[in-house]
């Protein structure tokens, strides 16, 4: 068993942890556990869910799987169901699923009755190493992603890597890109270890450690936490340009990482050799495929939200391994 202590909560990683989930949840509430789960995860795990929760009071609320559920409609609908089920302020909300469920459930937990404690049980690689960590919760608006949200730390994060056995290959790759991003930002040795193709609990732990350290320096995203956006400015633009269909989040971010490296070279920040080395790794691991996308095609899709300061686009470059730099650039100069 691996544990990581953050300033606010503990993250536990253990194979088979879900079999003991009732015990773990009991340490966080004397009330009812309200599980929010997506339809796909529910279908796959309903038997073990029923068996593992036998010893506690619980309810299950199922939402449709997919990004579309990070919406006001699903928020309102889910909250209505929870109220109908008699949810109280001293109950516990439980997010069982990927980043969509974590973000939605966390936002409900932040807002329903002005706050209900919640725990995260991430079931995708992306949610294990990224979205369940750091306390950002949100839903989307027609105007853009994650525009309404709250900082809301969970009581705990329980990671059972055995969930990954049912994850589709492209979703696994999507999460792996975030592991690579973490390695590039803060753990060069992890990059070495990833060369041998092993995704074990240590890899998950080390990727989380990188995020934990960055988040704890800037929990409310006032400055340095932006480095976690490495590859995401163009990553989000690519997702948007292709209507969130052609590329998974991670696949788009992998292309976005290469674009950030290339622009970094043009700006005199990223050494050419570093750019080539990282590009070669991402190609070799099939996280991107040739022909690579051209960043100029995606400039019109860059979102003008929190990445924009009054002076221009706040962009994350890589000066060296473990040395991200944030620089404001004039988008017209790209
Ligand atoms: N809060 C944050 O800090 C943060 C960080 C990064 C991303 N995000 C958000 O996370 C979301 C993406 O998360 P995601 O990639 O986990 O997507 P997701 O939650 O949509 O899950 C991807 C797919 O995998 C399925 N799935 C989940 N677990 C499974 C399992 N064990 N076996 C089989 N299928 C399974 C889901 O049903 C879904 O179809 C986005 O909305 C993004 O904005 C949030």
């Amino acid at each position: 068993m691996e544990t990581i202590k953050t300033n606010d909560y503990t993250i536990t990683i253990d194979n088979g942890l879900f079999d003991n989930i009732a015990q773990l949840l009991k340490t966080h509430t004397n009330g009812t556990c309200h599980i929010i789960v997506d339809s796909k995860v529910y279908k796959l795990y309903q038997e073990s869910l029923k068996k593992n929760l036998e010893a506690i009071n619980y309810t299950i609320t199922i939402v449709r799987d997919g990004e579309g559920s990070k919406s006001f409609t699903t928020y309102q609908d889910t909250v209505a169901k929870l109220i109908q089920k008699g949810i109280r302020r001293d109950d516990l909300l439980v997010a069982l699923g990927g980043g969509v469920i974590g973000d939605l459930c966390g936002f409900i937990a932040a807002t329903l009755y002005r706050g209900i404690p919640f725990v995260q049980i991430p079931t995708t690689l992306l949610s294990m190493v990224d979205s369940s960590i750091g306390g950002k919760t949100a839903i989307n608006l027609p105007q853009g992603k994650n525009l309404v949200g709250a900082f809301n730390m969970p009581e705990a994060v329980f990671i059972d890597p055995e969930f990954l056995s049912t994850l589709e290959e492209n979703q696994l790759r999507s999460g792996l890109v975030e592991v690579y991003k973490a390695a590039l930002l803060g753990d060069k040795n992890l990059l070495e270890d990833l060369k041998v193709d092993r995704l074990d609990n240590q890899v998950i732990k080390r990727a989380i450690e990188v995020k934990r350290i960055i988040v704890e320096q800037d929990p409310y995203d006032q400055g340095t936490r932006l480095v976690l956006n490495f590859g995401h400015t163009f990553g989000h633009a690519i997702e948007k340009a292709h209507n969130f269909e052609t590329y998974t989040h991670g696949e788009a971010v992998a292309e976005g990482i290469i674009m950030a490296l290339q622009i970094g070279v043009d700006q005199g920040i990223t050494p050419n050799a570093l750019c080539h080395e990282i590009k070669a790794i991402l190609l070799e691991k099939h996280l991107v495929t040739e022909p690579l996308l051209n960043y100029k095609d995606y400039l019109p899709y860059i979102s003008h939200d929190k990445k924009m300061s009054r002076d221009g686009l706040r962009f994350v470059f890589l000066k060296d391994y473990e040395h991200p730099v944030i620089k404001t650039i004039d988008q017209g100069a790209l």
Side-chain angles (χ1 to χ4, degrees):
M1 184 171 77
E2 308 284 349
T3 56
I4 301 169
K5 284 194 189 312
T6 76
N7 286 340
D8 302 279
Y9 55 94
T10 299
I11 303 154
T12 308
I13 310 169
D14 201 7
N15 288 87
L17 164 154
F18 192 57
D19 295 338
N20 295 318
I21 199 67
Q23 277 310 108
L24 295 167
L25 294 177
K26 249 194 214 167
T27 62
H28 292 280
T29 185
N30 293 320
T32 302
C33 294
H34 298 274
I35 322 286
I36 300 185
V37 59
D38 82 36
S39 46
K40 198 163 174 181
V41 174
Y42 182 69
K43 223 180 207 168
L44 287 164
Y45 292 98
Q46 55 180 318
E47 294 309 325
S48 48
L49 195 56
K50 261 185 223 149
K51 182 165 83 59
N52 297 345
L53 292 178
E54 244 167 26
I56 56 172
N57 290 327
Y58 70 95
T59 73
I60 295 178
T61 303
I62 303 163
V63 303
R64 188 178 299 174
D65 93 282
E67 186 71 26
S69 284
K70 269 175 64 172
S71 66
F72 254 122
T73 314
T74 309
Y75 169 85
Q76 208 174 358
D77 191 43
T78 310
V79 162
K81 286 179 180 157
L82 290 167
I83 292 171
Q84 201 190 12
K85 288 170 183 167
I87 188 168
R88 293 161 36 132
R89 277 182 82 176
D90 54 356
D91 287 344
L92 187 70
L93 275 165
V94 180
L96 176 66
V100 164
I101 290 297
D103 279 10
L104 172 72
C105 179
F107 185 60
I108 292 173
T111 47
L112 180 57
Y113 304 151
R114 298 196 185 87
I116 294 176
F118 84 114
V119 303
Q120 296 254 23
I121 308 176
T123 61
T124 62
L125 181 57
L126 185 138
S127 56
M128 290 177 188
V129 299
D130 191 356
S131 62
S132 68
I133 316 298
K136 276 194 185 178
T137 72
I139 55 174
N140 305 326
L141 294 182
Q143 289 79 0
K145 256 177 80 88
N146 299 326
L147 292 187
V148 175
F151 289 99
N152 187 23
M153 296 296 175
E155 300 294 302
V157 179
F158 297 121
I159 299 178
D160 186 345
E162 286 184 4
F163 278 115
L164 300 180
S165 64
T166 53
L167 201 60
E168 281 172 18
E169 189 59 35
N170 66 342
Q171 293 297 342
L172 209 51
R173 264 207 317 278
S174 183
L176 202 54
V177 173
E178 297 295 349
V179 174
Y180 273 89
K181 182 197 77 179
L184 293 172
L185 291 177
D187 189 348
K188 184 168 185 237
N189 291 335
L190 175 56
L191 210 56
E192 290 300 313
D193 293 352
L194 283 167
K195 283 189 182 150
V196 295
D197 258 332
R198 252 175 338 119
L199 179 69
D200 58 20
N201 296 2
Q202 273 300 319
V203 168
I204 294 173
K205 181 179 182 184
R206 285 163 67 187
I208 292 172
E209 271 295 351
V210 172
K211 181 157 184 184
R212 178 191 68 78
I213 291 166
I214 292 168
V215 167
E216 289 188 348
Q217 285 163 356
D218 177 23
Y220 297 107
D221 209 3
Q222 301 291 304
T224 52
R225 184 170 175 166
L226 189 79
V227 298
L228 290 169
N229 243 22
F230 179 53
H232 283 60
T233 304
F234 278 99
H236 286 151
I238 293 165
E239 283 184 281
K240 194 154 93 185
H242 297 276
N243 294 320
F244 296 88
E245 280 164 8
T246 319
Y247 296 88
T248 62
H249 177 70
E251 287 165 344
V253 169
E255 293 273 359
I257 286 176
I258 294 175
M259 291 173 182
L261 292 165
Q262 281 163 344
I263 297 167
V265 171
D266 296 343
Q267 295 273 324
I269 299 168
T270 308
N272 216 349
L274 183 71
C275 175
H276 283 294
E277 240 173 76
I278 298 170
K279 199 197 299 188
I281 295 171
L282 296 178
L283 278 166
E284 193 203 317
K285 293 287 169 189
H286 307 289
L287 297 175
V288 288
T289 44
E290 294 201 274
L292 295 172
L293 303 175
N294 184 340
Y295 77 81
K296 291 200 191 282
D297 295 336
Y298 296 93
L299 286 170
Y301 298 95
I302 287 182
S303 85
H304 289 241
D305 51 23
K306 59 196 172 186
K307 293 177 210 86
M308 288 302 281
S309 75
R310 247 176 242 111
D311 311 316
L313 185 66
R314 286 161 72 224
F315 203 88
V316 186
F317 296 103
L318 208 60
K319 206 170 166 183
D320 197 353
Y321 293 109
E322 304 181 1
H323 282 92
V325 284
I326 300 166
K327 197 180 161 205
T328 302
I329 52 174
D330 177 3
Q331 200 176 318
L334 288 176

